[in-house]
Amino acid sequence: MRNSKYNLGLRIIHWLMAVFIVGMLCSGFYMKSLPVSNEIKFSIYTVHKACGINVLGLIILRMFFRIFACDPTFPASFSRFVINVSRTVHFILYSLMILMPLSGYVISSASSIKIKYLFHVPLLINEDKDLANAANLLHSILAYFTVFFIILHILGALKHIFIDKQNILKRII
């Protein structure tokens, strides 16, 4: 029989990633607004990249948990449409959580800019300004999609809580 809650590891990773991702989105938009001459901009980039590595590691760990742990069942009142929308939004969020750090890595690697982290992160892509610019554009576009789908995710949870009177949030807390 399936549980009514997500596995404890998934719940912890979910909220840890939520903090990292919201923080990274805020720092990313803030960094973009700063002029190149601003000294703090590059300090923020260093932390932003390190957090991106953490997010990539957490999403890999999260997918491992998802493979080996049973998801809680959806409430019986959920229509097939609502279940499919939920699964689609989650799939897109997972995709974005992988693509965002990977595109950030391509920006740094193709720009030959070292990534400071707890261990040496090799730059596997030769310097290529056009690729770095394309990855930068993609990273920015993905950031807006991430914001959009996070809002959809939150609005979906709020709909279930306040309109449907089903505390779906208890599954992830």
Side-chain angles (χ1 to χ4, degrees):
M1 187 171 140
R2 298 177 97 179
N3 292 329
S4 62
K5 283 187 150 206
Y6 282 98
N7 170 292
L8 178 62
L10 271 171
R11 289 181 283 159
I12 291 169
I13 293 170
H14 174 274
W15 292 107
L16 190 56
M17 288 186 74
V19 169
F20 268 119
I21 291 168
V22 169
M24 291 188 65
L25 287 165
C26 292
S27 69
F29 289 125
Y30 178 65
M31 285 184 304
K32 287 287 188 180
S33 73
L34 294 174
V36 176
S37 60
N38 191 313
E39 296 170 14
I40 197 167
K41 182 172 188 157
F42 296 100
S43 297
I44 296 171
Y45 269 115
T46 300
V47 174
H48 185 84
K49 290 180 202 180
C51 289
I53 293 169
N54 289 334
V55 167
L56 186 58
L58 284 170
I59 190 61
I60 291 167
L61 186 61
R62 189 173 178 166
M63 290 186 330
F64 177 80
F65 270 100
R66 287 293 297 259
I67 290 167
F68 294 106
C70 290
D71 288 350
T73 55
F74 286 101
S77 62
F78 277 26
S79 69
R80 178 64 32 207
F81 175 76
V82 168
I83 291 170
N84 287 336
V85 168
S86 174
R87 287 185 174 145
T88 301
V89 169
H90 279 92
F91 176 80
I92 292 169
L93 283 169
Y94 271 78
S95 299
L96 289 165
M97 289 184 283
I98 293 167
L99 292 172
M100 283 295 291
L102 290 179
S103 62
Y105 172 81
V106 172
I107 295 166
S108 289
S109 191
S111 300
S112 294
I113 299 172
K114 290 183 181 180
I115 301 170
K116 295 177 184 170
Y117 195 66
L118 301 173
F119 54 84
H120 172 69
V121 178
L123 301 180
L124 301 174
I125 300 170
N126 292 329
E127 189 168 343
D128 183 336
K129 207 171 202 174
D130 291 334
L131 178 59
N133 288 336
N136 194 10
L137 177 61
L138 177 64
H139 197 69
S140 296
I141 292 168
L142 291 174
Y144 287 105
F145 275 105
T146 301
V147 169
F148 176 76
F149 281 96
I150 288 171
I151 290 170
L152 269 183
H153 183 62
I154 293 168
L155 288 175
L158 292 174
K159 175 210 173 276
H160 292 303
I161 293 167
F162 295 111
I163 296 173
D164 301 338
K165 305 292 187 210
Q166 295 175 319
N167 189 2
I168 197 81
L169 197 58
K170 69 183 176 192
R171 293 162 38 115
I172 199 71
I173 292 180

